Amino acid sequence: MGIYLNPTNQNFYEAINKEIYVDKSLLIERIEHLKEKVNKYLCISRPRRFGKSTDANMLVAYYSKGCDSSQIFNDLKISQTELYQKHLNRHNVVYLNMQKFLSMTPTIKDMLELLSEEVIEELEECFKVKKSRNILSLYLSKVYSRTNEQFIFIIDEWDCIFREYKNDKEVQNQYLDFLRNLLKDEPYVELAYMTGILPIKKYGTHSALNMFDEISMIDSEPLPEYMGFTEKEVEKLCHQYNISYEEMKEWYDGYHLTDMISTFSPRSVVASITRKKFGNYWTSTETYEALRVYIDMNYDGLRDDVVKLLAGEEVYLNTDKFQNDMTTFKSKDDVLTLLIHLGYLGYNSSDQTCYIPNKEVTSSFIASIEDSSWNETTKALLNSRALLEATWNREEELVAKYIEEAHLDTAILTYNNENALSYTISIAYIYARNHYTIIREMPSGKGYADMVFIPKDDKPAMIVELKWDQEAKTAINQIKEKKYYYELEKYLDDLLLVGISYDKKTKKHSCIIERYR
């Protein structure tokens, strides 16, 4: 048993003995299949808080010869498979947490030398093969040639270099060369499993690590159900702890990795259960200022897309040109793609669009923009609660005033149609999402209501109709004539009809609010 060679199972033992643990042990069966039948080089990237290190520790505990993990795994799902006993604690494992090595050394050169020294020392003690030079790949080749022993490499935080040395291309290339020399086409490699936030950095016209299959939030196959907590897993937890699944889903779900599989942020789910309240647990591991840095980069109209996203829209993007680092941005698509990898956006692969996945992430976007100089957008977000209360109180002139102040100054919102006006309304009423499910273009009666606010609590239901260069009264009449309230029978005792209009000549908004009778 060593620190790096065949380490103990202590980290995973502590994980499964926490109050809340979700059994993901069948990942081992999937990894074995990929290793034997597809590719033994796997790079799994997903955001912080999504269980990357727990999975890495589980693989160490299962494969490592340096421990006996039968008492840990006998009660987990993997124990019911045919391969369970075949591989349990029967492999040489080299476990490397790159972040720890980086934190102990002043330069990348020192880091790689320290890593090589430490691992070679343990290999030398175990296999009694004399070291000639401090080059890890050469030493492992020598061990393999004399003993025929192979190794499973489990590398956690593999991409920390690209986060700590964002602008140093020479350091990044030096690190990639080290990994390539260590792993590529080497017979001593039985499996290489790397995990981090970023996919593998593109290296000139090719990747230095092009032997890896990459599994990410952009393309999660063949491991989508292991990229976070699935809906079934969270629903079971909610039932066990008597917590609202619908509210949990609203706060932390939304990462639609396939048409059938949607995942939750694991750390946020656990935190909300243990602390017995829903909230934004994102900022406890990464402040919203980190998000602000990226959304303030107004590449090619990025700000307009962020407004669309906050309004509940999906935005098309091309993820192919992203260089898999945190500094090489040539377009807004590169920034949006990075935000997908960081977990701030979800990705719909079927139509190549991104979106804000849930309430937790929305609150991070709002906090970032409120501290930025986004002028009307910031003002709209700050006034959102007051606007909603004015609407409930039927203060028509005050509602018109707040909408006026929220008249967004972005390129997409030239106010030449009702669709453009709806973006402003969506942002202005963003606080309403705490109390309502908001549906745009809801089919009802004899047409489509522009915006319908269905209450989650004891607040009045609302139908909002928008008009451009027409009277606000026209909007109210349309709600009545087309009977948009037909789908809201259960709310008719407490239903507000809201007409909002924008006059292009005067650049003024008007509002009429009526109770349904």
Side-chain angles (χ1 to χ4, degrees):
M1 180 177 70
I3 299 173
Y4 312 107
L5 174 65
N6 295 329
T8 178
N9 56 27
Q10 182 63 29
N11 286 338
F12 187 58
Y13 173 81
E14 291 177 3
I16 68 167
N17 281 284
K18 293 286 194 298
E19 180 182 355
I20 298 173
Y21 171 73
V22 173
D23 185 352
K24 292 285 190 178
S25 62
L26 289 180
L27 171 65
I28 297 167
E29 183 179 45
R30 193 69 60 85
I31 295 295
E32 270 300 310
H33 171 77
L34 295 173
K35 174 169 74 75
E36 298 297 330
K37 304 295 185 182
V38 183
N39 188 3
K40 65 181 180 179
Y41 295 97
L42 302 171
C43 182
I44 291 85
S45 59
R46 54 189 196 254
R48 288 189 177 94
R49 304 158 294 271
F50 273 70
K52 300 182 297 295
S53 294
T54 300
D55 288 349
N57 290 332
M58 177 178 69
L59 295 179
V60 169
Y62 178 73
Y63 285 118
S64 174
K65 286 182 176 181
C67 53
D68 179 0
S69 299
S70 56
Q71 294 302 311
I72 293 178
F73 287 99
N74 281 347
D75 294 328
L76 300 183
K77 294 175 183 178
I78 187 64
S79 65
Q80 304 303 311
T81 65
E82 293 182 3
L83 61 79
Y84 173 53
Q85 291 293 343
K86 179 180 178 181
H87 298 285
L88 180 64
N89 301 131
R90 299 193 179 190
H91 297 259
N92 290 306
V93 171
V94 175
Y95 171 69
L96 304 172
N97 185 317
M98 293 301 190
Q99 186 69 59
K100 289 186 177 179
F101 281 108
L102 183 61
S103 66
M104 291 188 286
T105 49
T107 68
I108 185 67
K109 182 175 182 292
D110 293 327
M111 171 193 159
L112 298 179
E113 286 182 356
L114 175 64
L115 185 157
S116 297
E117 286 174 4
E118 292 294 314
V119 177
I120 288 174
E121 181 180 323
E122 292 192 4
L123 288 165
E124 202 171 13
E125 183 178 345
C126 178
F127 294 102
K128 311 304 180 185
V129 176
K130 187 177 179 180
K131 177 182 75 171
S132 56
R133 300 180 65 186
N134 190 44
I135 299 176
L136 182 56
S137 58
L138 292 179
Y139 187 79
L140 283 163
S141 294
K142 186 180 292 187
V143 170
Y144 177 75
S145 68
R146 298 188 184 182
T147 66
N148 209 34
E149 293 277 0
Q150 288 185 302
F151 299 85
I152 289 176
F153 291 84
I154 298 174
I155 302 175
D156 199 12
E157 301 281 0
W158 90 271
D159 61 333
C160 63
I161 302 300
F162 302 97
R163 291 184 270 119
E164 298 291 334
Y165 291 89
K166 295 179 182 180
N167 299 300
D168 196 329
K169 303 298 181 185
E170 183 178 347
V171 161
Q172 294 174 10
N173 291 344
Q174 187 178 350
Y175 176 61
L176 287 171
D177 285 340
F178 171 82
L179 290 177
R180 178 186 59 198
N181 293 334
L182 176 65
L183 301 172
K184 188 171 184 178
D185 299 328
E186 295 291 354
Y188 57 72
V189 177
E190 182 180 0
L191 167 69
Y193 177 97
M194 298 200 310
T195 184
I197 296 173
L198 296 173
I200 292 172
K201 165 71 178 170
K202 294 177 182 177
Y203 188 29
T205 58
H206 66 284
S207 170
L209 303 176
N210 57 7
M211 67 284 199
F212 276 88
D213 278 348
E214 297 195 61
I215 300 164
S216 72
M217 302 300 281
I218 299 288
D219 184 0
S220 62
E221 292 291 355
L223 303 174
E225 64 269 47
Y226 299 103
M227 301 292 278
F229 286 175
T230 65
E231 292 177 301
K232 287 184 179 179
E233 289 166 344
V234 174
E235 193 169 12
K236 183 178 178 181
L237 285 174
C238 289
H239 178 75
Q240 179 182 348
Y241 289 93
N242 194 27
I243 290 176
S244 168
Y245 173 67
E246 290 305 317
E247 197 167 356
M248 182 76 80
K249 188 176 178 68
E250 181 183 7
W251 269 97
Y252 310 119
D253 189 18
Y255 298 94
H256 304 299
L257 300 180
T258 71
D259 291 339
M260 301 296 294
I261 296 176
S262 181
T263 60
F264 291 64
S265 168
R267 185 188 182 281
S268 298
V269 169
V270 171
S272 67
I273 293 174
T274 56
R275 300 184 189 187
K276 296 180 170 53
K277 71 173 184 177
F278 297 106
N280 185 352
Y281 297 106
W282 201 270
T283 53
S284 62
T285 55
E286 183 174 284
T287 62
Y288 64 81
E289 284 88 350
L291 172 61
R292 189 179 68 195
V293 169
Y294 297 110
I295 65 175
D296 277 349
M297 296 177 180
N298 195 24
Y299 283 99
D300 192 27
L302 173 64
R303 186 175 298 186
D304 296 343
D305 280 348
V306 172
V307 169
K308 283 184 178 180
L309 292 165
L310 279 171
E313 298 290 309
E314 295 195 3
V315 171
Y316 173 81
L317 78 162
N318 180 356
T319 63
D320 293 339
K321 295 181 180 180
F322 181 58
Q323 293 298 302
N324 298 346
D325 64 27
M326 304 181 84
T327 56
T328 310
F329 303 121
K330 295 183 179 178
S331 70
K332 65 180 180 181
D333 287 358
D334 292 336
V335 180
L336 293 172
T337 303
L338 174 61
L339 294 181
I340 293 170
H341 290 298
L342 295 177
Y344 286 111
L345 294 176
Y347 182 66
N348 187 335
S349 60
S350 60
D351 55 13
Q352 294 181 275
T353 58
C354 62
Y355 56 90
I356 297 178
N358 53 48
K359 190 172 180 178
E360 181 181 42
V361 179
T362 298
S363 67
S364 292
F365 269 91
I366 292 172
S368 298
I369 292 172
E370 285 179 346
D371 280 357
S372 297
S373 55
W374 281 41
N375 301 325
E376 285 80 1
T377 309
T378 301
K379 188 179 293 185
L381 295 173
L382 292 172
N383 287 343
S384 184
R385 181 170 185 166
L387 169 63
L388 182 60
E389 291 176 351
T391 308
W392 290 336
N393 296 329
R394 296 176 59 193
E395 298 174 87
E396 296 169 341
E397 291 185 6
L398 191 54
V399 169
K401 172 180 175 291
Y402 285 132
I403 298 296
E404 194 88 37
E405 292 178 353
H407 183 152
L408 305 178
D409 61 345
T410 51
I412 57 169
L413 301 174
T414 53
Y415 269 52
N416 56 1
N417 56 50
E418 291 168 18
N419 188 54
L421 176 58
S422 71
Y423 287 117
T424 288
I425 303 300
S426 295
I427 298 298
Y429 277 105
I430 201 162
Y431 179 79
R433 297 180 192 180
N434 293 316
H435 301 282
Y436 294 93
T437 298
I438 303 174
I439 303 175
R440 289 185 58 189
E441 296 296 325
M442 176 176 164
S444 185
K446 299 178 182 179
Y448 294 83
D450 284 339
M451 301 179 74
V452 175
F453 293 65
I454 299 175
K456 303 173 186 175
D457 44 34
D458 59 353
K459 301 298 186 291
M462 301 192 300
I463 300 173
V464 178
E465 190 66 21
L466 312 174
K467 288 299 173 187
W468 173 73
D469 268 358
Q470 298 183 58
E471 296 293 328
K473 185 63 177 176
T474 305
I476 296 292
N477 291 338
Q478 181 170 318
I479 294 174
K480 296 175 180 177
E481 290 168 4
K482 295 196 174 183
K483 297 179 170 58
Y484 289 153
Y485 45 79
Y486 263 19
E487 299 297 323
L488 302 172
E489 287 90 347
K490 63 185 289 188
Y491 305 107
L492 296 183
D493 290 339
D494 196 8
L495 172 64
L496 295 179
L497 313 182
V498 182
I500 298 174
S501 177
Y502 174 70
D503 188 303
K504 185 178 178 181
K505 291 182 180 179
T506 65
K507 301 188 185 301
K508 294 291 184 182
H509 295 76
S510 59
C511 174
I512 293 179
I513 304 173
E514 295 183 4
R515 286 197 177 278
Y516 171 82
R517 292 185 177 83

